[in-house]
């Protein structure tokens, strides 16, 4: 019996030693945001918004005078993989993962929002933005066949937007009111 106990102890110490010497996997970047659905995992790298920015987006809070706010929401239970790359006025936005929200403040006026890495990939959505206004755009995967893996853009009303935004993580918030795009 003593021999079995010693073998058991040696075996246990061997396993513990092996576990201790096994390198731990690299930790994700603090900027990494992910969406998981079963074995599907889609991640993007973006600076985390402040609590105030998250709250402003989740409540669809109006921006200050002289500023327009655009909120992009990707929330469709059938869309569980891949990145949606959007371009506003020729400048790429953070890649959106499933069930995510991105907010940004821009100058009032005319703006062009494209779905796809190439600005001409899809018909752009023309936005006429007013001061102290929140405009919500739903980013929706197009059905297969029409444009596999492509995305469409659709303006969403306030009530529907509030429901969609509450279910998803706010990936980021940008201030594009300056002459160059600045991340807030």
């Amino acid at each position: 019996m003593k021999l079995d106990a010693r073998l058991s102890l040696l075996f246990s110490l061997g396993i513990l030693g092996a576990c201790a010497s096994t390198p731990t996997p690299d930790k994700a970047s603090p900027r990494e945001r992910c969406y998981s659905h079963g074995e599907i995992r889609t991640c993007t790298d973006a600076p985390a918004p402040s609590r105030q920015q998250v709250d402003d987006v989740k409540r669809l809070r109006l921006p200050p005078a002289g500023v327009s706010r655009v909120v992009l929401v990707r929330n469709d239970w059938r869309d569980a993989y891949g990145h949606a790359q959007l371009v506003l006025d020729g400048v790429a936005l953070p890649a959106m993962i499933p069930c995510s929200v991105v907010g940004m403040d821009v100058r009032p006026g005319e703006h062009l929002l494209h779905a796809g890495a190439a600005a001409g990939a899809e018909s752009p959505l023309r936005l006429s933005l007013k001061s102290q206004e929140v405009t919500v755009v739903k980013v929706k995967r197009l059905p297969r066949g029409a444009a596999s893996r492509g995305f469409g853009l659709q303006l969403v009303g306030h009530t529907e937007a509030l429901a969609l935004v509450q279910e998803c993580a706010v990936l980021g918030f940008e201030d594009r009111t300056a002459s160059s795009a600045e991340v807030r």
Side-chain angles (χ1 to χ4, degrees):
M1 193 83 169
K2 289 184 179 183
L3 182 59
D4 287 339
R6 284 185 184 170
L7 287 174
S8 178
L9 178 63
L10 287 174
F11 181 71
S12 297
L13 289 175
I15 289 175
L16 289 174
C19 290
S21 66
T22 304
T24 57
D26 293 339
K27 289 187 176 182
S29 158
R31 294 171 43 114
E32 185 178 68
R33 306 288 179 260
C34 297
Y35 173 81
S36 296
H37 182 79
E39 294 196 16
I40 299 171
R41 183 174 174 194
T42 306
C43 299
T44 191
D45 187 44
S50 70
R51 287 184 182 166
Q52 182 64 49
Q53 291 167 335
V54 170
D55 193 48
D56 287 350
V57 170
K58 290 279 190 178
R59 294 175 188 258
L60 300 180
R61 193 168 287 140
L62 297 176
V67 175
S68 297
R69 181 161 293 151
V70 177
V71 174
L72 307 169
V73 59
R74 181 177 171 194
N75 183 356
D76 185 350
W77 64 271
R78 296 167 291 192
D79 177 17
Y81 67 93
H83 295 92
Q85 184 60 61
L86 304 178
V87 178
L88 180 69
D89 298 329
V91 180
L93 299 169
M96 293 187 74
I97 58 177
C99 201
S100 65
V101 181
V102 173
M104 74 193 85
D105 284 350
V106 297
R107 291 181 177 167
E110 300 293 318
H111 296 271
L112 283 178
L113 181 63
H114 297 270
E122 294 292 327
S123 297
L125 179 62
R126 294 186 183 281
L127 301 172
S128 295
L129 305 176
K130 297 178 184 168
S131 177
Q132 289 189 298
E133 180 180 77
V134 175
T135 301
V136 180
V137 178
K138 184 175 183 179
V139 179
K140 187 169 180 169
R141 186 178 296 279
L142 297 173
R144 289 199 182 267
S148 182
R149 300 187 75 150
F151 292 88
L153 304 169
Q154 172 186 4
L155 291 173
V156 179
H158 185 79
T159 303
E160 181 183 359
L162 267 175
L164 291 172
V165 168
Q166 299 311 308
E167 297 174 354
C168 298
V170 178
L171 289 182
F173 191 94
E174 292 189 14
D175 183 354
R176 292 200 173 184
T177 58
S179 56
S180 63
E182 296 177 359
V183 177
R184 267 184 22 175

